Amino acid sequence: MQQALQRSSLVPRGFVVENAYYEDNKAVIAVRASGSVGLCPSCGTVSRRVHSRYRRRVTDLPLSGRIVQLLVIARRFRCDAVLCGRQIFTERFAEGLLEPSARRTTRLDSIVHHLGLALGDRPAASFAKRLMLPVSKDTLLRVVRRRGRPPADPLRVIGIDDWAWRRNHRYASIICNLERRRVITLLPDREPATAQAWLAAHPTIAIVARDRGGGYGEATAKALPHAVQVADRWHLMENASRAFLNAVRKSMRQIRIVIGATTIDPKLLTAAERLQYEGYLRREEANVAILALSKSGTPMKQIVRLTGYSRQLVRQAIRGERHDVFRTRQSSLDQHLPWLDDQWASGCRNGAELWRRLKACGFRGSLRVISEWATRRRRAERVDAQNLQRIPSARKIARLMTIGRDLLTNESWQRRLCPQCAPKRIC
Ligand SMILES: [Zn+2]
């Protein structure tokens, strides 16, 4: 039995076709919802009062080798419910038809999802192009992730730690599933009571990895008394390396004496280093004043009051942890140093030229970084090893002593063996 092909059978059920035409190589079908009422998404009240209409373009399944775009003429309704906060809402379509704000119909989205699952991102994207469903590889991944089911197995092992909304201003707590390596939730603050309430609602948790402060430990002990608490690896490493750095800082005076760099010649320093050196002199003045007070038996509280320095600073000075001259950060230059040394050795000694060449190799730092390096290098070559009054910072020494052997470059390895072997390399 023959049956006429209806235009409405080409579009998802629930839409009425208004018009259809070709635009370039696409088939455009203008549709509207068949119903005459809208349901307010906030309060569920039925509304017949249309406020306005607007057009949405969404992609649908291809037709005869052409991409199909539905031009959906959607309505905005007024909500008449007295207590509803929403005055105007856009119409929602039937389940499985078209999601709010979606750019694809649900039936196309489902095919995109299956393509993504079967072929992965890039192959699925090129196959989809041949099927006239143009989607990017990123979209495919997004659809697969969005439609992925949340894990149903109960939480067993979690990690909890501070998390910064804005560093130094506002902190929250982050909780991760350590078995799945996924963030589970962000709590609005880092109060023990908030963490405790959340933990109490998840009694299946058996192991909690946390920092070494008391807050989260206390919350866990109260909410999950049977759970095992472990210090997480990151915090152990962080605490250990900080303790090691403090130990090196304490020994800086002796290190300087051994290397023979007890005096620093400001003439040999670059502008940035001179600023740091001036800061060091100021710090030393403060250290001497604090130590004199401490030796005369003044309690720490009194020293804080007399000198106006913070308690932490006074404590560091008394413990001898403030003798570092140069404080260095991880430099953007570190990984390029071997290359720069090669260029220098082969005769290229112009800072701007070195910068241009290094930039071509992917260096993203500024010209100033390279020209400062070249200046230091030039000065270092001018003076002999005896006159070079420069030793690495405590941080650098601590790093050289703790870094894995395989990660050391040849030169830093040399320096670790004997700092005087490579006197012309300045860090
Ligand atoms: Zn409403």
Side-chain angles (χ1 to χ4, degrees), residues 198-235:
W198 189 90
L199 290 168
H202 297 81
T204 52
I205 296 169
I207 299 173
V208 178
R210 60 170 176 86
D211 60 6
R212 301 181 67 214
Y216 295 130
E218 195 186 312
T220 312
K222 281 185 187 161
L224 306 165
H226 303 297
V228 178
Q229 297 186 27
V230 292
D232 71 40
R233 191 166 42 179
W234 188 86
H235 283 102

CSV table of all heavy atoms in Angstrom, one decimal, residues 198-235:
chain,number,residue,atom,x,y,z
A,198,TRP,N,29.7,17.4,55.2
A,198,TRP,CA,29.8,16.7,53.9
A,198,TRP,C,30.3,15.3,54.1
A,198,TRP,O,29.7,14.3,53.6
A,198,TRP,CB,30.8,17.5,53.0
A,198,TRP,CG,30.7,16.9,51.6
A,198,TRP,CD1,29.9,17.3,50.6
A,198,TRP,CD2,31.5,15.8,51.0
A,198,TRP,NE1,30.1,16.6,49.5
A,198,TRP,CE2,31.1,15.6,49.7
A,198,TRP,CE3,32.5,15.0,51.5
A,198,TRP,CZ2,31.6,14.6,48.9
A,198,TRP,CZ3,33.0,14.0,50.7
A,198,TRP,CH2,32.5,13.8,49.4
A,199,LEU,N,31.3,15.1,55.0
A,199,LEU,CA,31.9,13.8,55.2
A,199,LEU,C,30.8,12.9,55.9
A,199,LEU,O,30.7,11.7,55.5
A,199,LEU,CB,33.1,13.9,56.1
A,199,LEU,CG,34.3,14.5,55.4
A,199,LEU,CD1,35.4,14.8,56.4
A,199,LEU,CD2,34.9,13.6,54.3
A,200,ALA,N,30.1,13.5,56.8
A,200,ALA,CA,29.1,12.7,57.5
A,200,ALA,C,28.0,12.1,56.6
A,200,ALA,O,27.4,11.1,56.8
A,200,ALA,CB,28.4,13.5,58.6
A,201,ALA,N,27.8,12.9,55.4
A,201,ALA,CA,26.7,12.4,54.5
A,201,ALA,C,27.3,11.4,53.5
A,201,ALA,O,26.6,10.8,52.7
A,201,ALA,CB,26.3,13.6,53.7
A,202,HIS,N,28.6,11.0,53.7
A,202,HIS,CA,29.2,10.0,52.8
A,202,HIS,C,29.8,8.9,53.7
A,202,HIS,O,31.1,8.8,53.8
A,202,HIS,CB,30.2,10.6,51.8
A,202,HIS,CG,29.5,11.6,50.9
A,202,HIS,ND1,29.2,12.9,51.2
A,202,HIS,CD2,29.1,11.4,49.6
A,202,HIS,CE1,28.7,13.4,50.2
A,202,HIS,NE2,28.6,12.6,49.2
A,203,PRO,N,29.0,8.1,54.3
A,203,PRO,CA,29.6,7.1,55.3
A,203,PRO,C,30.4,6.0,54.7
A,203,PRO,O,31.1,5.2,55.4
A,203,PRO,CB,28.4,6.6,56.0
A,203,PRO,CG,27.2,6.8,55.1
A,203,PRO,CD,27.6,8.0,54.3
A,204,THR,N,30.4,5.9,53.3
A,204,THR,CA,31.1,4.7,52.7
A,204,THR,C,32.6,5.0,52.6
A,204,THR,O,33.4,4.1,52.3
A,204,THR,CB,30.6,4.5,51.3
A,204,THR,OG1,30.6,5.7,50.6
A,204,THR,CG2,29.2,3.9,51.3
A,205,ILE,N,33.0,6.3,52.9
A,205,ILE,CA,34.4,6.6,52.8
A,205,ILE,C,35.3,5.9,53.8
A,205,ILE,O,35.0,5.9,55.0
A,205,ILE,CB,34.6,8.2,52.9
A,205,ILE,CG1,33.9,8.9,51.8
A,205,ILE,CG2,36.1,8.6,52.9
A,205,ILE,CD1,33.8,10.4,51.9
A,206,ALA,N,36.3,5.2,53.3
A,206,ALA,CA,37.2,4.5,54.3
A,206,ALA,C,38.5,5.1,54.5
A,206,ALA,O,39.2,4.9,55.5
A,206,ALA,CB,37.3,3.0,53.7
A,207,ILE,N,39.0,5.8,53.5
A,207,ILE,CA,40.4,6.4,53.6
A,207,ILE,C,40.3,7.9,53.2
A,207,ILE,O,39.7,8.2,52.1
A,207,ILE,CB,41.4,5.7,52.6
A,207,ILE,CG1,41.5,4.2,53.1
A,207,ILE,CG2,42.7,6.3,52.7
A,207,ILE,CD1,42.3,3.4,52.1
A,208,VAL,N,40.9,8.7,54.0
A,208,VAL,CA,40.9,10.2,53.7
A,208,VAL,C,42.4,10.7,53.7
A,208,VAL,O,43.1,10.5,54.6
A,208,VAL,CB,40.1,11.0,54.8
A,208,VAL,CG1,40.2,12.5,54.5
A,208,VAL,CG2,38.7,10.5,54.9
A,209,ALA,N,42.8,11.2,52.5
A,209,ALA,CA,44.1,11.7,52.4
A,209,ALA,C,44.0,13.2,52.6
A,209,ALA,O,43.1,13.8,52.0
A,209,ALA,CB,44.7,11.4,51.0
A,210,ARG,N,44.8,13.8,53.4
A,210,ARG,CA,44.6,15.2,53.7
A,210,ARG,C,46.0,15.9,54.0
A,210,ARG,O,47.0,15.3,54.0
A,210,ARG,CB,43.7,15.4,54.9
A,210,ARG,CG,44.3,14.7,56.2
A,210,ARG,CD,43.5,15.0,57.4
A,210,ARG,NE,43.9,14.3,58.6
A,210,ARG,CZ,44.9,14.7,59.4
A,210,ARG,NH1,45.5,15.8,59.1
A,210,ARG,NH2,45.2,14.1,60.4
A,211,ASP,N,45.9,17.2,54.2
A,211,ASP,CA,47.1,18.0,54.6
A,211,ASP,C,47.5,17.7,56.0
A,211,ASP,O,46.8,16.9,56.7
A,211,ASP,CB,46.9,19.5,54.4
A,211,ASP,CG,45.7,20.0,55.2
A,211,ASP,OD1,45.2,19.2,56.1
A,211,ASP,OD2,45.3,21.1,55.1
A,212,ARG,N,48.5,18.3,56.6
A,212,ARG,CA,48.9,17.9,57.9
A,212,ARG,C,48.5,18.9,58.9
A,212,ARG,O,48.9,18.9,60.1
A,212,ARG,CB,50.4,17.8,57.9
A,212,ARG,CG,50.8,16.7,56.9
A,212,ARG,CD,52.3,16.4,56.8
A,212,ARG,NE,52.7,15.8,58.0
A,212,ARG,CZ,54.0,16.0,58.5
A,212,ARG,NH1,54.8,16.9,57.9
A,212,ARG,NH2,54.3,15.5,59.7
A,213,GLY,N,47.6,19.8,58.5
A,213,GLY,CA,47.0,20.8,59.5
A,213,GLY,C,45.9,20.0,60.3
A,213,GLY,O,45.5,18.9,59.9
A,214,GLY,N,45.3,20.7,61.3
A,214,GLY,CA,44.4,20.0,62.1
A,214,GLY,C,42.9,20.0,61.7
A,214,GLY,O,42.2,19.1,62.0
A,215,GLY,N,42.5,21.0,60.9
A,215,GLY,CA,41.1,21.2,60.5
A,215,GLY,C,40.4,20.0,59.9
A,215,GLY,O,39.4,19.5,60.5
A,216,TYR,N,41.0,19.6,58.8
A,216,TYR,CA,40.3,18.5,58.1
A,216,TYR,C,40.4,17.2,58.9
A,216,TYR,O,39.5,16.3,58.9
A,216,TYR,CB,40.9,18.3,56.7
A,216,TYR,CG,40.7,19.4,55.8
A,216,TYR,CD1,41.7,20.0,55.1
A,216,TYR,CD2,39.4,20.0,55.6
A,216,TYR,CE1,41.5,21.1,54.2
A,216,TYR,CE2,39.2,21.0,54.8
A,216,TYR,CZ,40.3,21.6,54.1
A,216,TYR,OH,40.1,22.7,53.3
A,217,GLY,N,41.5,17.0,59.6
A,217,GLY,CA,41.7,15.8,60.5
A,217,GLY,C,40.6,15.7,61.5
A,217,GLY,O,40.0,14.7,61.7
A,218,GLU,N,40.4,16.9,62.2
A,218,GLU,CA,39.3,16.9,63.2
A,218,GLU,C,38.0,16.6,62.6
A,218,GLU,O,37.2,15.8,63.2
A,218,GLU,CB,39.4,18.4,63.8
A,218,GLU,CG,38.7,18.6,65.1
A,218,GLU,CD,38.7,20.0,65.4
A,218,GLU,OE1,39.7,20.7,65.3
A,218,GLU,OE2,37.6,20.5,65.7
A,219,ALA,N,37.7,17.3,61.5
A,219,ALA,CA,36.4,17.0,60.8
A,219,ALA,C,36.2,15.6,60.5
A,219,ALA,O,35.1,15.0,60.7
A,219,ALA,CB,36.3,17.9,59.5
A,220,THR,N,37.3,14.9,60.0
A,220,THR,CA,37.2,13.5,59.6
A,220,THR,C,37.0,12.6,60.8
A,220,THR,O,36.1,11.7,60.8
A,220,THR,CB,38.5,13.1,58.9
A,220,THR,OG1,38.7,14.0,57.9
A,220,THR,CG2,38.3,11.7,58.2
A,221,ALA,N,37.7,13.0,61.9
A,221,ALA,CA,37.6,12.2,63.1
A,221,ALA,C,36.2,12.2,63.7
A,221,ALA,O,35.7,11.2,64.2
A,221,ALA,CB,38.6,12.6,64.1
A,222,LYS,N,35.6,13.4,63.6
A,222,LYS,CA,34.2,13.5,64.1
A,222,LYS,C,33.2,12.8,63.2
A,222,LYS,O,32.3,12.2,63.7
A,222,LYS,CB,33.9,15.0,64.3
A,222,LYS,CG,34.5,15.6,65.5
A,222,LYS,CD,34.0,17.0,65.7
A,222,LYS,CE,34.8,17.7,66.8
A,222,LYS,NZ,34.7,19.1,66.8
A,223,ALA,N,33.3,13.1,61.9
A,223,ALA,CA,32.3,12.6,60.9
A,223,ALA,C,32.5,11.1,60.6
A,223,ALA,O,31.5,10.4,60.5
A,223,ALA,CB,32.3,13.4,59.6
A,224,LEU,N,33.7,10.7,60.5
A,224,LEU,CA,34.0,9.3,60.1
A,224,LEU,C,35.0,8.7,61.0
A,224,LEU,O,36.2,8.5,60.6
A,224,LEU,CB,34.5,9.2,58.6
A,224,LEU,CG,33.7,9.9,57.5
A,224,LEU,CD1,34.5,10.1,56.3
A,224,LEU,CD2,32.4,9.1,57.2
A,225,PRO,N,34.6,8.3,62.2
A,225,PRO,CA,35.6,7.9,63.2
A,225,PRO,C,36.4,6.6,62.7
A,225,PRO,O,37.5,6.4,63.2
A,225,PRO,CB,34.8,7.7,64.5
A,225,PRO,CG,33.4,7.7,64.0
A,225,PRO,CD,33.3,8.4,62.8
A,226,HIS,N,35.8,5.8,61.8
A,226,HIS,CA,36.4,4.6,61.4
A,226,HIS,C,37.3,4.7,60.2
A,226,HIS,O,38.1,3.8,59.9
A,226,HIS,CB,35.4,3.5,61.2
A,226,HIS,CG,34.5,3.3,62.3
A,226,HIS,ND1,35.0,2.8,63.5
A,226,HIS,CD2,33.2,3.5,62.5
A,226,HIS,CE1,34.0,2.7,64.4
A,226,HIS,NE2,32.8,3.1,63.8
A,227,ALA,N,37.3,5.9,59.6
A,227,ALA,CA,38.1,6.1,58.4
A,227,ALA,C,39.5,6.2,58.7
A,227,ALA,O,39.9,6.8,59.8
A,227,ALA,CB,37.6,7.3,57.6
A,228,VAL,N,40.4,5.7,57.8
A,228,VAL,CA,41.8,5.9,58.0
A,228,VAL,C,42.3,7.2,57.4
A,228,VAL,O,41.9,7.5,56.3
A,228,VAL,CB,42.6,4.7,57.3
A,228,VAL,CG1,44.1,4.9,57.4
A,228,VAL,CG2,42.1,3.4,57.8
A,229,GLN,N,43.1,8.0,58.2
A,229,GLN,CA,43.5,9.2,57.7
A,229,GLN,C,45.0,9.1,57.3
A,229,GLN,O,45.8,8.6,58.1
A,229,GLN,CB,43.4,10.3,58.8
A,229,GLN,CG,41.9,10.5,59.2
A,229,GLN,CD,41.8,11.7,60.1
A,229,GLN,OE1,42.6,12.6,60.1
A,229,GLN,NE2,40.8,11.7,60.9
A,230,VAL,N,45.3,9.6,56.1
A,230,VAL,CA,46.7,9.5,55.7
A,230,VAL,C,47.2,10.9,55.2
A,230,VAL,O,46.4,11.7,54.7
A,230,VAL,CB,47.0,8.5,54.6
A,230,VAL,CG1,46.8,7.1,55.0
A,230,VAL,CG2,46.1,8.8,53.4
A,231,ALA,N,48.5,11.2,55.4
A,231,ALA,CA,49.0,12.5,55.0
A,231,ALA,C,49.3,12.3,53.5
A,231,ALA,O,49.8,11.3,53.1
A,231,ALA,CB,50.3,12.8,55.7
A,232,ASP,N,48.8,13.2,52.6
A,232,ASP,CA,49.0,13.0,51.2
A,232,ASP,C,50.4,13.3,50.8
A,232,ASP,O,51.2,14.1,51.5
A,232,ASP,CB,47.9,13.7,50.4
A,232,ASP,CG,48.1,15.2,50.4
A,232,ASP,OD1,49.2,15.7,50.3
A,232,ASP,OD2,47.1,15.9,50.4
A,233,ARG,N,50.9,12.7,49.7
A,233,ARG,CA,52.2,12.7,49.3
A,233,ARG,C,52.7,14.2,49.0
A,233,ARG,O,53.8,14.5,49.4
A,233,ARG,CB,52.4,11.9,48.0
A,233,ARG,CG,53.8,11.6,47.7
A,233,ARG,CD,53.9,10.6,46.6
A,233,ARG,NE,52.9,10.7,45.6
A,233,ARG,CZ,52.7,9.9,44.6
A,233,ARG,NH1,53.5,8.9,44.5
A,233,ARG,NH2,51.8,10.1,43.7
A,234,TRP,N,51.9,15.0,48.4
A,234,TRP,CA,52.3,16.3,48.1
A,234,TRP,C,52.7,17.1,49.4
A,234,TRP,O,53.7,17.8,49.4
A,234,TRP,CB,51.1,17.1,47.4
A,234,TRP,CG,51.6,18.4,46.9
A,234,TRP,CD1,52.2,18.6,45.7
A,234,TRP,CD2,51.5,19.6,47.6
A,234,TRP,NE1,52.5,19.9,45.6
A,234,TRP,CE2,52.1,20.6,46.7
A,234,TRP,CE3,51.1,20.0,48.8
A,234,TRP,CZ2,52.2,21.9,47.1
A,234,TRP,CZ3,51.2,21.4,49.1
A,234,TRP,CH2,51.7,22.3,48.3
A,235,HIS,N,51.8,17.0,50.4
A,235,HIS,CA,52.1,17.7,51.6
A,235,HIS,C,53.4,17.2,52.3
A,235,HIS,O,54.2,18.0,52.9
A,235,HIS,CB,50.9,17.7,52.6
A,235,HIS,CG,49.9,18.6,52.2
A,235,HIS,ND1,48.7,18.2,51.5
A,235,HIS,CD2,49.8,20.0,52.2
A,235,HIS,CE1,48.0,19.3,51.3
A,235,HIS,NE2,48.6,20.3,51.7
